[in-house]
Amino acid sequence: MRRFFLIAGALAVLMIVPQTTVWAQITSPKQPPKSTSSVPTMGDTTKQSIRYGQEFSGGSGLQGGRTIYARPFVKAPKTIVGGYIDFTYSKCDKGSREGKARDCDDPGSFDQERLVPFFYSQITDRLSMAAEIEFEHGGTNNNQSDGDVKVEFATMDYRFNDAVNLRAGIILSPMGRFNLIHDSPLNDLPLRPMVSRAILPSTLAESGIGFFGTFYPTALSKIDYELYIVNGFAGSGGSNAGFISEGSGMRSARGSQQKDINENKAILARVSFSPMLGIEVAGSVHHGKWDREDRHDLTLMAIDGALQRGPFEITGEAAWADIETPCGDVQCVVIAEAGTETFQSAFDDATRRRIVLAEDTQRVIPAGMFGYYVQLNYHFMPEGLTRAMPSYFGQNSTFTGILRYGRSDTNTDSDLNPNDEERLTLGLNFRPVEDSVIKFAYTWNTKGVNNPAGTESPDGWQFNMSSYF
């Protein structure tokens, strides 16, 4: 009997001990897990949530040295980065006078022309941003400091629907066709049309705000529009302003993206109509005051179009500048003396010649400008090359033959302007894929087309490689 009670007691102890141990594990405080470090890694902002505008003003809301990483794009990256690059070799024979054809250098030179990073972010379903930063000729700190760095455009868009969208920022001006598609990989020739350099000065970008959108009148057709209010041109000289002149056209008069010299905003608009795929016609207008005194009107107008049928493609653009000069509606001779400028009317070239001979003339403000270009493309790809060398000539590869003719007259009232130009270009390029191109071209240039003192013909050839990335 005594032995029985000893065995029963031993079994009871064995049953109670495990249960007590388990209960102790359940009821006792849980020990924190061991951690090697509680310091956030570089770029990690999950340890402390920042509410912008509420806790980011200082004190305990900051994260010390890690505050620089407290950005929404670090937590949730959403920006796309791309861009394009191009390289050019150009050689043009020197003409009879000191001047050269626009964009055609002598002697031949290699030029790392552009490196353009592109940024795009879809911030919300309705809000997006896009920007380009252009590094030209190696940037401002290249070996000779003759390059450039600038924001090509930077805009924020808020989408309401297809027909109405809000845009603000540094806007790529929709003046003509070429300014909107000026990227090197999009174009088939190394040099830009002269009208798009002197009269519609590509690349033209202006600070402003406005709307853009698309309508669909029928199942096959569409209408695109852009309408903006911008700072406008600055052609009266002085701080933050350039000049309108027959020498540089409108190029040196592009306005500041920071300040409006006269606080008189310009209106900028473009409307294009495509009745069916492969056909488009468009008209553009830019109107505002160009001088610091807010007195003189400037109106730029352009028409452009494109037609594609099979392997053939024809594009063109024409532009006019109507300038109210300090002398009225005639060309105006600017005479600089003792740090001041005076203006004398030149109703015709005889009056202009008499003023030039009598005074130290610095420049001429024209009352009108006109230019245009027409370009014919033929796309082809020999099947024999694709079969023989498919690794070089793939299904997406193509050759293009190009013929372009254009003229640029930066003073339509004068035959004495030595800057009038015409150019005929013959080119051939190869695209291994649609986004990359190798270009060859030869240009025949005539400068001072109407000048009775004579013309010059700095002809030459160009090579270019460009690609999106």
Side-chain angles (χ1 to χ4, degrees), residues 343-412:
F343 306 95
Q344 292 196 26
S345 300
F347 295 96
D348 52 34
D349 275 344
T351 307
R352 168 178 165 153
R353 185 179 294 110
R354 185 169 60 254
I355 298 173
V356 168
L357 292 175
E359 304 287 352
D360 182 16
T361 304
Q362 299 298 308
R363 61 189 174 96
V364 175
I365 303 176
M369 303 182 190
F370 172 68
Y372 68 92
Y373 78 90
V374 179
Q375 180 173 320
L376 175 65
N377 295 342
Y378 175 67
H379 307 284
F380 65 96
M381 186 67 223
E383 293 184 5
L385 289 178
T386 303
R387 289 195 300 267
M389 294 179 285
S391 62
Y392 292 96
F393 306 100
Q395 295 298 321
N396 296 323
S397 302
T398 184
F399 288 93
T400 303
I402 312 103
L403 181 66
R404 179 201 285 166
Y405 176 77
R407 292 194 64 170
S408 174
D409 185 349
T410 53
N411 189 346
T412 55

Side-chain angles (χ1 to χ4, degrees), residues 145-162:
S145 299
D146 55 355
D148 192 19
V149 178
K150 63 183 178 182
V151 176
E152 191 91 327
F153 70 87
T155 58
M156 292 179 290
D157 294 348
Y158 192 87
R159 181 180 181 274
F160 297 99
N161 50 53
D162 285 347

Side-chain angles (χ1 to χ4, degrees), residues 5-19:
F5 285 111
L6 289 174
I7 294 172
L11 290 173
V13 170
L14 291 173
M15 293 176 66
I16 292 172
V17 170
Q19 293 177 5

Side-chain angles (χ1 to χ4, degrees), residues 53-345:
Q54 299 180 34
E55 297 180 357
F56 207 73
S57 57
S60 61
L62 298 180
Q63 295 181 309
R66 294 180 299 280
T67 300
I68 61 173
Y69 298 103
R71 304 291 194 273
F73 46 78
V74 175
K75 293 182 180 181
K78 60 182 114 181
T79 298
I80 298 171
V81 179
Y84 71 90
I85 184 173
D86 72 346
F87 167 84
T88 301
Y89 179 82
S90 179
K91 187 181 190 311
C92 285
D93 298 328
K94 191 171 183 179
S96 59
R97 300 191 302 274
E98 292 183 3
K100 305 170 186 176
R102 195 178 300 274
D103 300 333
C104 211
D105 293 330
D106 175 64
S109 300
F110 295 115
D111 183 6
Q112 174 54 64
E113 210 165 353
R114 298 175 188 90
L115 173 63
V116 185
F118 173 84
F119 306 89
Y120 173 80
S121 181
Q122 189 69 45
I123 302 168
T124 71
D125 290 342
R126 296 190 179 275
L127 181 64
S128 63
M129 69 78 60
E132 278 187 355
I133 301 176
E134 184 172 57
F135 297 83
E136 289 188 333
H137 317 296
T140 54
N141 290 324
N142 68 13
N143 294 341
Q144 297 297 324
S145 299
D146 55 355
D148 192 19
V149 178
K150 63 183 178 182
V151 176
E152 191 91 327
F153 70 87
T155 58
M156 292 179 290
D157 294 348
Y158 192 87
R159 181 180 181 274
F160 297 99
N161 50 53
D162 285 347
V164 180
N165 301 275
L166 177 67
R167 172 169 291 171
I170 300 176
I171 297 168
L172 188 64
S173 299
M175 279 305 302
R177 181 182 185 84
F178 190 88
N179 198 60
L180 293 172
I181 54 169
H182 66 272
D183 291 3
S184 256
L186 288 178
N187 290 285
D188 290 305
L189 291 174
L191 301 184
R192 296 177 176 181
M194 290 177 294
V195 63
S196 302
R197 299 286 286 166
I199 301 173
L200 302 178
S202 178
T203 303
L204 177 61
E206 302 177 86
S207 291
I209 189 170
F211 296 91
F212 68 97
T214 302
F215 296 94
Y216 300 93
T218 67
L220 296 178
S221 64
K222 70 168 184 170
I223 297 174
D224 295 306
Y225 78 92
E226 297 184 57
L227 175 63
Y228 306 110
I229 300 174
V230 296
N231 283 342
F233 283 85
S236 61
S239 177
N240 297 316
F243 296 98
I244 297 176
S245 71
E246 65 178 17
S248 59
M250 298 300 305
R251 189 163 191 81
S252 62
R254 289 176 293 182
S256 168
Q257 294 167 349
Q258 178 186 6
K259 296 180 180 180
D260 190 344
I261 64 167
N262 53 30
E263 296 188 10
N264 187 303
K265 300 298 179 282
I267 300 296
L268 169 63
R270 182 177 191 266
V271 178
S272 66
F273 175 59
S274 176
M276 63 183 67
L277 189 65
I279 302 176
E280 183 183 58
V281 292
S284 311
V285 64
H286 191 300
H287 177 78
K289 304 290 186 181
W290 63 265
D291 62 311
R292 188 178 301 279
E293 291 76 23
D294 194 15
R295 297 176 181 174
H296 307 303
D297 288 333
L298 166 65
T299 302
L300 298 178
M301 296 172 289
I303 57 173
D304 65 83
L307 172 65
Q308 186 171 6
R309 282 292 180 268
F312 292 96
E313 182 182 16
I314 184 168
T315 60
E317 186 172 313
W320 296 261
D322 183 11
I323 306 163
E324 184 181 3
T325 75
C327 303
D329 294 327
V330 296
Q331 59 178 313
C332 198
V333 179
V334 183
I335 302 168
E337 184 178 358
T340 62
E341 291 184 343
T342 58
F343 306 95
Q344 292 196 26
S345 300

